[in-house]
Amino acid sequence: MILTGSDIVIQSIIDEGVDLVFGYPGGQVINLYDSLYKYKDQIKHVLTCHEQGASHAADGYARATGKVGVCIATSGPGATNLVTGIATAYMDSIPLVAITGNVPMNLLGKDSFQEVDITGITMPITKHNYIVKDISKLQAVINEAFYIAKEGRPGPVLIDIPKNIQIEKTEYKKIKPWKIERKEFTIRDKKIQEAIELINNAKNPFIYVGGGAIAADASEEVIALAEKINSPICNSLMARGVIPSDHELYTGMIGMHGTKASNISATKCDLFMALGARFSDRVITNRENLSNAKIIHIDVDAAEINKNIKVDLSIIGDLKSVLQRLLPNVNEAKNQEWLDSMKNLKSLSAYKKSKGEELTPEYFFEELNSLDPGNLIISTEVGQHQMWTAQHYHFKKPRTFITSGGLGTMGFGLGAAIGAQFARPECKVINIAGDGSFMMNCQEIATAVQNKLPIVQVIMNNNVLGMVRQWQTLFFEGRYSNTTLDRQTDLVKLAEAFGAKGYRVNKKQELRGILKEALASKTPVLIDYRIDNNKKVFPMVAPGAPINQIICEEDL
């Protein structure tokens, strides 16, 4: 069958199982969009308000499903508007394929209108990228790109297609997607046996689980290991939901805003097991913090081993496969004294309970947890509200917390919520934002309204850039340089102008009824939740400090 390049692109991504893409048309992808029109019975396109929104929506779709998210943009500013979204996916290991158009090949390198070297720009933030200069290779490139995005440690791939390649014609023949297999060939039996011995000899084991457990679909195996050896277990921000919040062995998040139970247990354990996690600067990068422990690091990416912390034993390979080999051979353990000390630490609070009529983030999540219908997916922007969400919402399942961890992208959450809501229409998606983050991509409310998505947009509105202000309070003697917003925007009227419902919460007694209405709504809802601008995220560890040097609210 002879097809144009643009038809081959759309037919090829359909062959990869894609039925939904996000994007924004332009001159150098007009042929691709013509092909999308031809294939509209097989693939849906969601028009966002901005290309960045499209990239975040594709990312949210991927996080909510484990499938590859796809976004499309034109050349020049269209392509560069994808960069933040691509970098976000790269830092959090999210499978994404970004397709961009470019000027015809005879105009490349001539500073043509809307020409940009997008492959050069994105080289450091993609697993791989391509510029297709031969139409006979186009189909194979797409086939390979989807494999690379999903294989091993997932990540984004970019395909740049000059306009003349979209117009030219060549033979198309359906190709089966490359089979994705778990990375097991790197797993060494000797290493497995050494890990078993370390685990069986441990008296005070501690498990630190990261986002790799979600990518590997290894939640059941992680919990099974913790239960078999009675090990306390904590998570990074990216692994929220791997273990239910109410599990008796769960100690909470670890790191800069981790719980006392997690941070102190890490420094007192004799075996520290990092499962599908990297040792980031927001968690732990100082080996002295773990001086009492042997460290086992299991990860699919060899580049992460010994990158930030030198470990005693590493196993490189798919986490689910590694744990399935370990589990039958580790001994059951009680570790009662160790568990009792962990329970005592869990009882220590790091923040003051709200009193009277003061609206607080903790109160919001108390109400949301009590009304939780059991089908919620929570996305966030980046800042204080993100940490409050991770600390106080009771996550129960993987792929229900969608947030930008590594890059910390303000403006991420609403686009990601749109992608997640399309991906899982049986769920209710709530995006938690600060007023600073919300304004970065608030226009995507229009996308939610246009597509009748029942997203609930919650704004923890404190009229400041809360996380930066918190640092200014603690480390810069209260010099609030450009973090006080005091914008005059009426967020309820803004929501209504976009066609959504808007509510404002000023008093505690208003919240429950508004939340009930929002959770029942079939259309987008915005809740303007007013909190004090001095409210801070606790506990907190100062940058570079040992993780057991914890700042709590009473310390102020």
Side-chain angles (χ1 to χ4, degrees):
M1 184 191 311
I2 303 296
L3 294 179
T4 64
S6 60
D7 283 349
I8 288 172
V9 171
I10 304 307
Q11 184 62 65
S12 295
I13 65 175
I14 291 171
D15 292 345
E16 293 289 337
V18 176
D19 57 9
L20 180 69
V21 297
F22 304 87
Y24 205 97
Q28 304 303 342
V29 289
I30 196 167
N31 296 85
L32 283 178
Y33 273 81
D34 189 54
S35 295
L36 277 169
Y37 186 87
K38 293 179 192 174
Y39 289 90
K40 62 185 177 182
D41 292 338
Q42 298 178 62
I43 189 167
K44 178 180 175 63
H45 176 273
V46 177
L47 176 65
T48 55
C49 294
H50 191 286
E51 289 93 350
Q52 186 176 335
S55 63
H56 293 328
D59 182 315
Y61 178 93
R63 292 184 200 235
T65 61
K67 299 177 182 178
V68 178
V70 180
C71 55
I72 300 174
T74 193
S75 64
T80 57
N81 282 344
L82 294 180
V83 169
T84 298
I86 293 169
T88 301
Y90 182 76
M91 290 292 284
D92 289 344
S93 304
I94 305 302
L96 185 77
V97 169
I99 299 171
T100 56
N102 213 328
V103 299
M105 284 172 55
N106 66 319
L107 295 179
L108 285 173
K110 298 182 179 180
D111 293 332
S112 305
F113 178 67
Q114 292 192 334
E115 179 196 358
V116 73
D117 178 10
I118 194 62
T119 55
I121 290 170
T122 60
M123 188 174 292
I125 55 167
T126 51
K127 277 186 78 176
H128 195 64
N129 65 21
Y130 307 83
I131 179 166
V132 182
K133 296 183 177 181
D134 182 347
I135 190 172
S136 68
K137 297 178 180 178
L138 176 61
Q139 189 180 2
V141 163
I142 294 169
N143 198 230
E144 184 177 71
F146 275 81
Y147 173 78
I148 291 172
K150 196 79 172 66
E151 183 271 338
R153 181 177 181 172
V157 178
L158 179 133
I159 308 170
D160 193 38
I161 310 172
K163 189 169 185 177
N164 64 291
I165 300 297
Q166 300 171 42
I167 296 169
E168 292 173 14
K169 294 182 178 181
T170 193
E171 177 74 20
Y172 160 81
K173 186 176 181 181
K174 187 170 182 176
I175 304 174
K176 286 185 179 180
W178 290 17
K179 187 177 180 181
I180 304 292
E181 295 183 346
R182 295 187 178 276
K183 193 171 182 179
E184 296 182 350
F185 65 90
T186 54
I187 303 170
R188 302 288 178 258
D189 290 338
K190 184 183 178 212
K191 296 271 192 177
I192 294 286
Q193 191 55 47
E194 289 174 4
I196 291 166
E197 290 176 10
L198 284 174
I199 294 169
N200 287 343
N201 289 327
K203 303 299 181 189
N204 302 329
F206 191 59
I207 295 173
Y208 158 47
V209 61
I214 294 176
D217 190 27
S219 179
E220 288 184 12
E221 288 78 9
V222 168
I223 295 171
L225 177 62
E227 290 177 344
K228 190 168 186 181
I229 65 174
N230 262 315
S231 172
I233 179 171
C234 70
N235 58 259
S236 69
L237 180 71
M238 297 309 302
R240 204 65 178 88
V242 168
I243 184 166
S245 297
D246 60 358
H247 196 287
E248 63 179 358
L249 294 173
Y250 180 58
T251 61
M253 197 163 64
I254 188 173
M256 180 172 282
H257 294 293
T259 63
K260 288 184 175 181
S262 293
N263 284 11
I264 295 173
S265 295
T267 64
K268 294 186 177 298
C269 67
D270 63 2
L271 179 65
F272 188 89
M273 289 174 277
L275 309 181
R278 61 191 182 91
F279 291 93
S280 85
D281 60 298
R282 289 302 170 100
V283 177
I284 184 170
T285 55
N286 190 338
R287 182 65 170 85
E288 291 180 8
N289 289 324
L290 303 174
S291 58
N292 296 321
K294 295 283 187 181
I295 303 176
I296 298 174
H297 191 182
I298 303 173
D299 202 278
V300 75
D301 185 0
E304 289 298 336
I305 305 300
N306 295 320
K307 184 172 82 175
N308 292 327
I309 283 188
K310 186 170 178 57
V311 301
D312 297 283
L313 176 66
S314 61
I315 301 176
I316 300 165
D318 175 74
L319 180 62
K320 189 181 187 78
S321 301
V322 172
L323 293 179
Q324 286 174 344
R325 293 198 199 183
L326 285 175
L327 274 166
N329 299 298
V330 297
N331 297 335
E332 292 186 12
K334 292 186 177 179
N335 299 322
Q336 196 57 53
E337 187 176 340
W338 175 233
L339 291 182
D340 288 343
S341 69
M342 178 268 290
K343 288 174 184 175
N344 290 333
L345 289 171
K346 283 178 73 172
S347 68
L348 301 176
S349 179
Y351 63 94
K352 297 175 183 176
K353 296 275 187 179
S354 63
K355 295 179 180 179
E357 284 302 309
E358 181 189 9
L359 288 176
T360 64
E362 295 88 0
Y363 181 73
F364 175 86
F365 287 108
E366 285 174 18
E367 291 294 281
L368 181 60
N369 285 327
S370 71
L371 293 172
D372 189 346
N375 67 336
L376 298 184
I377 293 176
I378 309 292
S379 64
T380 76
E381 306 294 342
V382 171
Q384 288 178 312
H385 59 277
Q386 177 189 32
M387 296 298 110
W388 288 321
T389 304
Q391 290 173 338
H392 300 297
Y393 179 69
H394 294 166
F395 291 95
K396 303 174 184 69
K397 299 175 184 176
R399 300 198 181 279
T400 57
F401 183 43
I402 296 175
T403 195
S404 170
L407 196 64
T409 306
M410 294 173 70
F412 166 80
L414 182 52
I418 288 169
Q421 190 67 80
F422 269 112
R424 296 176 64 180
E426 77 282 4
C427 295
K428 184 82 170 182
V429 180
I430 300 178
N431 183 49
I432 311 291
D435 47 323
S437 281
F438 173 69
M439 293 299 286
M440 288 204 168
N441 278 315
C442 65
Q443 71 276 359
E444 296 303 340
I445 289 283
T447 306
V449 170
Q450 178 69 28
N451 290 280
K452 298 180 174 61
L453 301 176
I455 291 167
V456 179
Q457 171 65 66
V458 177
I459 302 169
M460 298 279 176
N461 190 348
N462 56 9
N463 284 308
V464 295
L465 299 177
M467 188 61 88
V468 183
R469 179 186 170 91
Q470 176 166 330
W471 282 45
Q472 289 172 335
T473 301
L474 296 176
F475 311 122
F476 293 88
E477 300 176 343
R479 295 188 293 275
Y480 300 124
S481 176
N482 290 286
T483 51
T484 301
L485 299 175
D486 282 336
R487 289 172 176 151
Q488 302 305 304
T489 309
D490 186 322
L491 297 177
V492 171
K493 288 182 179 177
L494 181 66
E496 292 170 349
F498 277 125
K501 296 178 185 177
Y503 300 91
R504 182 171 292 112
V505 180
N506 289 306
K507 298 177 182 178
K508 276 188 171 180
Q509 58 263 37
E510 297 171 342
L511 178 60
R512 192 171 186 85
I514 288 173
L515 268 180
K516 283 183 177 179
E517 288 187 37
L519 291 172
S521 177
K522 304 296 184 186
T523 56
V525 170
L526 180 147
I527 300 174
D528 181 8
Y529 184 77
R530 297 301 184 96
I531 62 173
D532 187 86
N533 62 14
N534 286 314
K535 183 65 179 173
K536 296 175 176 59
V537 179
F538 290 109
M540 181 179 182
V541 176
I547 61 171
N548 60 349
Q549 289 187 11
I550 301 164
I551 304 170
C552 299
E553 192 162 6
E554 60 265 25
D555 295 328
L556 298 186

